[in-house]
Amino acid sequence: MAVTLSDVADRAGVSPATVSRVLNGNYPVAAKTRQRVEKAIRDLDYVVNAHARALLHATSGMIGVVLNDLADPFFATVASGIQSAALPMQRLVIVCSSGGDQETEFAYIEMLRRHRAEVVILVGSSPEDAAYKRALAGQAKGLHAQGSRLVLCGRPAPSRHTPAAVVSVDESRSLRELAEYLSQQGHRRIGYLAGPPNQSTSTARRSSLTNALQRVGIRLPDGFVAQGEFTRESGYEATCRLISGGVKFTALCAANDLMAAGAMRALDESGVDVPGDVSVIGFDDLPVATDITPKLTTIRVPLVEVGQHAVAMAFAPESANRRRLLPTRLIVRGSSGRAVGTREARRTA
Amino acid sequence: MAVTLSDVADRAGVSPATVSRVLNGNYPVAAKTRQRVEKAIRDLDYVVNAHARALLHATSGMIGVVLNDLADPFFATVASGIQSAALPMQRLVIVCSSGGDQETEFAYIEMLRRHRAEVVILVGSSPEDAAYKRALAGQAKGLHAQGSRLVLCGRPAPSRHTPAAVVSVDESRSLRELAEYLSQQGHRRIGYLAGPPNQSTSTARRSSLTNALQRVGIRLPDGFVAQGEFTRESGYEATCRLISGGVKFTALCAANDLMAAGAMRALDESGVDVPGDVSVIGFDDLPVATDITPKLTTIRVPLVEVGQHAVAMAFAPESANRRRLLPTRLIVRGSSGRAVGTREARRTA
DNA sequence: CTGTTAGCGCATTCAG
DNA sequence: CTGAATGCGCTAACAG
């Protein structure tokens, strides 16, 4: 069906070995022979069979990426960072979107193992239950035994001994900045739109914020927290629940920008002015943050860089078990300001 | 390095062929033997080598997708449609983001050919120059010769004889609806934010709109058109150019929602009220359309379905040279309304 | 029901 | 500088 290396050899009147040498350019080949071979390749429109090569080399040189949802800009942005770093290394990127389903995720990892992916990158939150961690640790061992490298992006390793590199962000500093900022602006009662329960990202962001607020003497009681699922809709609904529950807050922080966008809409529909009545703060700094009005104050996460570092670490020597933390940054925009009820706010009112 | 089928055979005390039969379940194997083999597989954590299989079958069963930019929600959404359709078929999806660069695009197609991708899906606009078309037609032939199927999404085939299936949208009907709507609302002077020149999507959308407007007696002169690149920033800048150029329009159509979002910001900063002074219309109906205020009137393109149909057509018998057109829909939201200067508008003013 | 054999397409020895 | 031979891991005939 397809043209093979021997076909090329026949047409050029040389042996397969010679064609191979021309292809790889590693061994000396007479100029005349080379030209004849190159012509045959062009004439026949020959394309090497990557599988035959992979069979010899025991690896395919592909980068597998497993993420929750390709259509979510958070993941899409990390993926594009991975892709951009993979291109100059001549690596193909396989993107697998699991939809957040654990079984699908493992099915994809298995498929990537079958294809002897050189690198497997897991992006985003991971469930925090023991069974999952054990299963993942098992896959990690398997990948390692195969000679594939595993990189975890934005999620912790399932255990200390897991042979995996980790690229993550350290949001604690930015959140301390945010806490100080909110405190200075007179905010005392703060609502929080959390991510789905038992997900590493959700708990990390929430506990970091809780700690940061504590440092400035602000508590984040459970009653001020509503769960969502990192989507606009869930942010909208969670905000509605807080409002209809009679929770009084002067600032509303969200676990990501999408939820914050949903919150803005809910507040708007309830006649709450942002930032006049309530300040809204997002997380990630996705494009949506500046699409909405007023523009969203948020914690910028360097998503493209996260992806690029993941690739870099995968190809760095001794990458297993290495960890890399990227800093985030507080971006203050129009959606936040002084709390209502503060002296200053009363004066200007 | 990695565990092979023979390793399993040795451990189970059977021949490699038997292990293969257990794996594929096609031939009868004694229950006892099967169990022994299955245990060995588990003990050794054996994972089949997809390359060895692909070598026999002359295809890898992978779906390759080449698109402009993964971080662009337009492409990400189509890709997620492809992914969702590929999962139940147990197909791995390779996503290649070319950044709109032709060379990169061909490099990726070549890599996909090397990997004997079963299906190659090209998503989005294509340059409209002859050299490109010839090159693409060549690759299409090569893919066909290899036994790979080619699907073009949202772009025309380079020639009548190209062995490729095409999935596209037919926006003409919606644009006629839009033209009638705008006309009824009293709009006569309409601005247009076009996509990059010599791109199939740009010219298709522009000419369809021009035709539709013509039917209701509205012209779209070049002076009312500003070029952009399907991004927010370019939409912003293009709108600024129109405004500072003194172009007076009561409605502004954009080649996509991202540019419309940029336009809204530019208009806002210039003190132009939407939809009071100017109606804004987008294209695609991406999430950003409802993030902005007022929500964007737009032409909805069924992007997920486009991706799903692409996969379906690839696996349909006799798919080569087939064409499938999906309908779009006009979605009227808050960003559009009556033109200023019409009788009704004056009355209510 | 199971083992033996051959070959998929290629890169790499080893000889010449 | 070039050709012949070997084997990567697996499946499909072909025997038993």
Side-chain angles (χ1 to χ4, degrees):
Chain A
M1 191 104 195
V3 180
T4 72
L5 186 140
S6 327
D7 296 336
V8 176
D10 288 350
R11 181 171 241 264
V14 298
S15 75
T18 302
V19 178
S20 172
R21 291 195 262 258
V22 171
L23 246 37
N24 299 302
N26 299 328
Y27 291 79
V29 175
K32 289 218 164 184
T33 321
R34 150 169 293 117
Q35 286 171 4
R36 228 164 353 117
V37 171
E38 279 168 349
K39 180 162 174 4
I41 290 176
R42 261 178 286 115
D43 290 350
L44 262 37
D45 190 24
Y46 168 74
V47 177
V48 243
N49 187 326
H51 300 298
R53 275 199 177 160
L55 202 51
L56 297 178
H57 295 157
T59 178
S60 59
M62 296 188 304
I63 299 179
V65 179
V66 183
L67 38 75
N68 268 349
D69 180 11
L70 243 183
D72 181 327
F74 175 94
F75 295 103
T77 307
V78 176
S80 79
I82 292 172
Q83 177 88 50
S84 71
L87 179 59
M89 320 203 66
Q90 292 254 65
R91 295 302 202 280
L92 229 34
V93 176
I94 300 190
V95 178
C96 308
S97 182
S98 68
D101 181 63
Q102 293 187 22
E103 274 187 60
T104 307
E105 184 176 321
F106 282 117
Y108 275 132
I109 296 178
E110 162 103 18
M111 285 172 98
L112 292 172
R113 286 187 63 184
R114 287 221 258 267
H115 284 268
R116 300 298 187 263
E118 190 177 5
V119 176
V120 173
I121 304 179
L122 266 34
V123 184
S125 233
S126 71
E128 293 188 306
D129 70 276
Y132 176 88
K133 282 187 185 171
R134 232 176 300 118
L136 182 58
Q139 290 287 12
K141 282 218 182 65
L143 283 165
H144 188 73
Q146 264 191 187
S148 306
R149 268 145 300 153
L150 176 63
V151 183
L152 270 19
C153 260
R155 57 158 75 184
S159 92
R160 270 150 302 282
H161 313 296
T162 306
V166 175
V167 180
S168 230
V169 292
D170 177 10
E171 67 273 340
S172 59
R173 196 197 200 105
S174 299
L175 286 178
R176 281 206 295 273
E177 250 185 89
L178 172 65
E180 275 163 32
Y181 165 77
L182 288 175
S183 169
Q184 279 168 10
Q185 298 289 321
H187 295 278
R188 298 275 119 200
R189 296 184 318 275
I190 292 170
Y192 187 63
L193 304 178
N198 303 322
Q199 288 276 332
S200 57
T201 306
S202 303
T203 51
R205 291 185 175 181
R206 177 170 174 182
S207 69
S208 290
L209 179 64
T210 304
N211 288 340
L213 288 176
Q214 222 153 26
R215 289 169 68 105
V216 295
I218 301 176
R219 283 195 55 232
L220 186 57
D222 285 348
F224 279 67
V225 178
Q227 301 271 3
E229 302 179 299
F230 287 138
T231 63
R232 291 170 172 84
E233 297 69 35
S234 69
Y236 176 90
E237 285 158 16
T239 306
C240 291
R241 284 202 301 279
L242 284 182
I243 294 173
S244 67
V247 181
K248 298 292 175 208
F249 46 83
T250 64
L252 183 58
C253 297
N256 75 344
D257 288 345
L258 298 183
M259 292 181 70
M264 297 270 270
R265 190 150 300 280
L267 293 169
D268 185 49
E269 289 180 9
S270 299
V272 178
D273 182 59
V274 175
D277 301 322
V278 165
S279 291
V280 176
I281 292 92
F283 210 114
D284 285 341
D285 197 25
L286 301 174
V288 62
T290 51
D291 283 332
I292 57 186
T293 309
K295 293 183 183 174
L296 194 61
T297 292
T298 190
I299 308 289
R300 172 174 297 168
V301 177
L303 297 170
V304 171
E305 287 79 3
V306 166
Q308 291 172 335
H309 275 278
V311 175
M313 287 188 72
F315 289 105
E318 309 262 338
S319 67
N321 293 313
R322 263 239 265 269
R323 253 189 111 201
R324 166 126 206 155
L325 278 186
L326 268 37
T328 58
R329 224 173 84 211
L330 172 64
I331 311 279
V332 177
R333 298 202 184 94
S335 72
S336 63
R338 288 210 66 80
V340 288
T342 59
R343 261 183 297 185
E344 284 77 355
R346 284 204 189 106
R347 266 185 211 147
T348 57
Chain B
M1 190 102 192
V3 180
T4 73
L5 186 140
S6 325
D7 296 338
V8 176
D10 287 350
R11 180 171 241 264
V14 298
S15 75
T18 302
V19 178
S20 173
R21 291 194 263 259
V22 171
L23 246 36
N24 299 302
N26 299 328
Y27 291 79
V29 175
K32 289 217 164 180
T33 321
R34 150 169 293 116
Q35 286 172 3
R36 227 160 359 112
V37 170
E38 280 168 348
K39 180 162 176 356
I41 290 176
R42 260 178 287 114
D43 289 351
L44 263 36
D45 191 23
Y46 168 73
V47 177
V48 241
N49 187 327
H51 299 297
R53 274 195 179 162
L55 202 50
L56 298 181
H57 295 155
T59 178
S60 60
M62 296 189 302
I63 299 179
V65 179
V66 182
L67 38 75
N68 269 349
D69 179 11
L70 243 184
D72 181 329
F74 175 94
F75 295 103
T77 308
V78 175
S80 80
I82 292 172
Q83 176 89 49
S84 71
L87 179 59
M89 320 202 67
Q90 291 255 65
R91 294 302 201 280
L92 230 33
V93 175
I94 300 190
V95 178
C96 308
S97 184
S98 69
D101 181 62
Q102 292 187 23
E103 274 187 58
T104 308
E105 185 176 319
F106 282 117
Y108 274 133
I109 297 178
E110 162 103 17
M111 286 173 98
L112 292 171
R113 286 187 63 186
R114 286 221 258 270
H115 283 269
R116 301 295 186 264
E118 189 176 6
V119 176
V120 173
I121 304 178
L122 267 34
V123 184
S125 234
S126 71
E128 291 187 308
D129 71 278
Y132 176 88
K133 282 187 185 169
R134 230 175 303 118
L136 181 59
Q139 289 287 12
K141 283 217 183 63
L143 283 165
H144 188 72
Q146 261 189 197
S148 306
R149 269 143 300 154
L150 176 63
V151 183
L152 271 19
C153 260
R155 58 158 75 184
S159 92
R160 271 150 301 282
H161 313 296
T162 306
V166 175
V167 180
S168 230
V169 293
D170 177 11
E171 66 272 340
S172 58
R173 197 196 199 106
S174 299
L175 286 178
R176 282 207 294 275
E177 250 185 90
L178 173 64
E180 276 163 30
Y181 165 77
L182 288 175
S183 168
Q184 279 169 10
Q185 298 288 321
H187 296 279
R188 298 275 118 199
R189 297 185 315 277
I190 292 170
Y192 186 63
L193 305 178
N198 304 321
Q199 288 276 332
S200 57
T201 306
S202 303
T203 51
R205 290 184 176 182
R206 178 170 174 181
S207 68
S208 290
L209 179 65
T210 304
N211 289 339
L213 289 175
Q214 221 152 28
R215 290 169 68 105
V216 295
I218 300 178
R219 284 194 55 231
L220 186 58
D222 284 350
F224 279 68
V225 178
Q227 300 272 3
E229 302 181 298
F230 287 138
T231 62
R232 291 169 172 84
E233 296 70 34
S234 68
Y236 176 90
E237 285 159 14
T239 305
C240 291
R241 285 202 302 279
L242 285 181
I243 293 173
S244 66
V247 181
K248 298 293 175 206
F249 46 83
T250 64
L252 183 58
C253 297
N256 76 344
D257 287 345
L258 298 184
M259 292 181 70
M264 297 270 271
R265 189 148 303 278
L267 293 169
D268 185 49
E269 290 180 7
S270 299
V272 178
D273 182 60
V274 176
D277 301 321
V278 165
S279 290
V280 175
I281 292 93
F283 210 115
D284 285 340
D285 198 25
L286 302 175
V288 62
T290 51
D291 283 333
I292 57 186
T293 309
K295 292 182 184 176
L296 194 62
T297 292
T298 191
I299 309 288
R300 171 174 299 168
V301 177
L303 297 170
V304 171
E305 287 78 3
V306 165
Q308 290 172 335
H309 271 100
V311 175
M313 287 189 73
F315 289 105
E318 309 262 337
S319 67
N321 294 313
R322 263 237 264 269
R323 254 190 109 202
R324 165 127 207 156
L325 277 185
L326 267 37
T328 59
R329 226 174 82 210
L330 172 65
I331 312 278
V332 177
R333 298 203 184 94
S335 72
S336 63
R338 288 209 65 81
V340 288
T342 59
R343 262 184 297 188
E344 285 77 357
R346 282 202 190 108
R347 267 185 212 147
T348 58

